Amino acid sequence: MKELLNHLLRHPLLPVFYHDDTATCIEVINACYQGGIRVFEFVNRGVRAQENFEALLRHRNENFPDLKLGVGTIRDAATASRFIATGADFLVSPLVKAEIAEVTLKKGILWIPGCMTPTEIGQAADLGALMVKLFPGETLGRGFLKAVKPLFPEMLFMPTGGVNPDRESISDWFGAGANAVGLGSRLFEKPEGAGDYGWLSERIRVLTGGFPDGSVI
């Protein structure tokens, strides 16, 4: 778990993505990897989530062995266990739940629970979480992170939801104390007239170009 967490901290930009079409999922993950992404969160929000995640895993194993591929929107232990058995490298939740900690953290699997209050962050810490997702980041804001971080000096924070895919916004979040950021729908907004996913690779290159060695801010 620590090794994976260190990998995430070296590559702290996480695309958060779902699509029903398998070919689209593969195109997107290809473009993200080519742009410099090495940690990717595929969310469990659609009817083909399991099927498409399995396809992405096969594609990852054949082409991008250094890419860590996790699953988000995990709300219960049964779902967590299913995706762990499938081969997920890590799991992300929108909530804090002891039963999920039982099948992840206590077995050495990285779980990043979602929190919106100091109480929830404290509960996550008590369960053994090393990192929490601040969600929705846009609602909480950087001021919240600045205020709450000193209360939990050993906790790592990943704001997600409303993080703009531009260097200024990401730098501001890291300046407020973020250790990673989740980049959702705004990252995947297709420019007018764009053809293939080259625009996505280039957009990510611009973001990772803001990191001194290409991997850390």
Side-chain angles (χ1 to χ4, degrees), residues 139-154:
T139 300
L140 294 169
R142 294 183 291 273
F144 174 82
L145 176 55
K146 283 183 179 179
V148 79
K149 191 173 177 69
L151 303 177
F152 303 96
E154 297 182 357

Side-chain angles (χ1 to χ4, degrees), residues 178-193:
N179 302 99
V181 294
L183 298 167
S185 59
R186 295 179 185 179
L187 176 66
F188 302 103
E189 290 177 354
K190 188 175 182 178
E192 187 175 351

Side-chain angles (χ1 to χ4, degrees), residues 84-101:
I84 290 169
T86 300
D89 291 316
F90 62 95
L91 300 178
V92 183
S93 294
L95 43 72
V96 180
K97 211 167 189 179
E99 67 176 58
I100 303 177

Side-chain angles (χ1 to χ4, degrees), residues 34-88:
Q34 290 162 13
I37 292 300
R38 295 297 181 268
V39 186
F40 190 97
E41 178 187 333
F42 186 74
V43 294
N44 178 40
R45 292 185 186 173
V47 294
R48 298 188 62 185
Q50 180 79 33
E51 178 184 349
N52 285 346
F53 183 70
E54 290 174 2
L56 286 177
L57 274 176
R58 290 192 296 270
H59 185 75
R60 186 280 305 272
N61 293 341
E62 293 171 2
N63 298 279
F64 314 129
D66 59 334
L67 177 70
K68 301 303 180 183
L69 188 57
V71 181
T73 318
I74 300 299
R75 296 190 295 265
D76 56 66
T79 305
S81 296
R82 186 173 77 250
F83 277 105
I84 290 169
T86 300

Side-chain angles (χ1 to χ4, degrees), residues 6-180:
N6 287 335
H7 180 87
L8 190 159
L9 295 175
R10 290 193 301 271
H11 306 279
L13 304 186
L14 279 72
V16 179
F17 180 78
Y18 177 81
H19 201 283
D20 279 332
D21 180 62
T22 304
T24 298
C25 293
I26 290 174
E27 285 188 86
V28 165
I29 207 168
N30 284 344
C32 287
Y33 187 88
Q34 290 162 13
I37 292 300
R38 295 297 181 268
V39 186
F40 190 97
E41 178 187 333
F42 186 74
V43 294
N44 178 40
R45 292 185 186 173
V47 294
R48 298 188 62 185
Q50 180 79 33
E51 178 184 349
N52 285 346
F53 183 70
E54 290 174 2
L56 286 177
L57 274 176
R58 290 192 296 270
H59 185 75
R60 186 280 305 272
N61 293 341
E62 293 171 2
N63 298 279
F64 314 129
D66 59 334
L67 177 70
K68 301 303 180 183
L69 188 57
V71 181
T73 318
I74 300 299
R75 296 190 295 265
D76 56 66
T79 305
S81 296
R82 186 173 77 250
F83 277 105
I84 290 169
T86 300
D89 291 316
F90 62 95
L91 300 178
V92 183
S93 294
L95 43 72
V96 180
K97 211 167 189 179
E99 67 176 58
I100 303 177
E102 287 284 339
V103 298
T104 54
L105 299 174
K106 293 191 176 181
K107 296 182 179 180
I109 297 164
L110 180 63
W111 172 52
I112 306 173
C115 299
M116 197 177 180
T117 67
T119 297
E120 291 172 344
I121 296 168
Q123 290 171 343
D126 289 345
L127 289 171
L130 302 177
M131 173 180 278
V132 297
K133 176 177 77 168
L134 293 184
F135 180 82
E138 185 176 45
T139 300
L140 294 169
R142 294 183 291 273
F144 174 82
L145 176 55
K146 283 183 179 179
V148 79
K149 191 173 177 69
L151 303 177
F152 303 96
E154 297 182 357
M155 181 60 73
L156 301 173
F157 293 91
M158 182 177 71
T160 304
V163 178
N164 290 327
D166 60 68
R167 287 170 61 173
E168 180 179 3
S169 174
I170 291 172
S171 293
D172 285 347
W173 275 108
F174 278 89
N179 302 99

